[in-house]
Amino acid sequence: RSAKALPYPDRERWSGDGVVPSLITTWLNRPFATLSIVFTVEQVGSQLPFEVLPFVLRGVLSEQCMDADDQLAVMAISRILPQILSSVVFWLRLSGRIGKFWTLFVSNLTASLSALLVLPLTTDTPKCTWFYYGIGMCIIQGITLGASFITNSMVADIADYDELLSGKRREAFYMMASQFFPKFSQIPSSALFFFFLATLDYQRPGEWKCAAKVPDETWCASQKPQFNSTLGALVKYAANSDLCGNCAADCCVREDPSQHTPIVWLLKIGFGLVPSITLLAAIVALLVFPKAARSRKAQEDVRAGVEAHRNGETVE
């Protein structure tokens, strides 16, 4: 029995304004094609550290100063809050002086250098020396990433320029494409990190269990972790409030094994070196951006041309 032939597409319903043709059209715009490469590479440097941070706190910094969950909350706030404040206080004003292109260039350069601050990080002590270092590191990194809003602003300028050339308003397609293409780098980078984490035998934190014997009764009350060199693990005690199940013991214990050296370096590379390299690659991609569109005056001319075009004036 012969197979039925598929019908030809209805050419009358085909439109150059469809989703696929419009996505292809965005890539024919050279400034946007350049920024798409920047977005795709930059996504690794800006998102991967957030995924690696919880593992860095447990595997590198340890919990001798503070519980890992509390450390994560402090570090996240130390990174996000300066990023929000610096975007208004510093980066917005800088873009008004030197233009959006050079602001993005400076931001990526400083972010690439600040990502390397994680390399000296090591196991913390009860004095919290490296924990405070980590807070300072997150504040600096948050400030350098505060110019992330510039990329969306540049895409809006490109959409204005496209309207000036084609007469069509297609900013929705440009915004969609700017969020779509970076997924091709974000997902593989995260998958590769977790693959190497499992391959190099990352040691998961232990489970809470009943403590048959407590070296010191005050340890249970204070919940202060103690590193046991014989076990090669960080031993934590806590009062039994259904934490370790139904048992007669008044205290629970958990043993978190220390990580192997390859795991420690994998975490540092994932949090610092890989983002640093990808942000440098984004700077290299930025150098392909058309020189005529880099200045602040060029951006103002595009906006003026769009306004004139909307008012029915002829724009050269």
Side-chain angles (χ1 to χ4, degrees), residues 8 16 52 87 105 110 135 147 150 166-167 170 195 213 226 279:
Y8 289 103
V52 180
S87 64
F105 185 93
T110 54
I135 292 177
I150 293 292
S166 64
R170 296 184 288 201
F195 169 77
K213 183 179 179 180
Q226 302 287 334
L279 289 169

Side-chain angles (χ1 to χ4, degrees), residues 9-25 168 170 173:
D10 188 354
R11 295 184 178 181
E12 293 183 357
R13 298 178 60 186
W14 177 263
S15 172
D17 295 328
V19 175
V20 175
S22 295
L23 281 176
I24 296 175
T25 302
K168 299 179 180 179
R170 296 184 288 201
F173 288 108

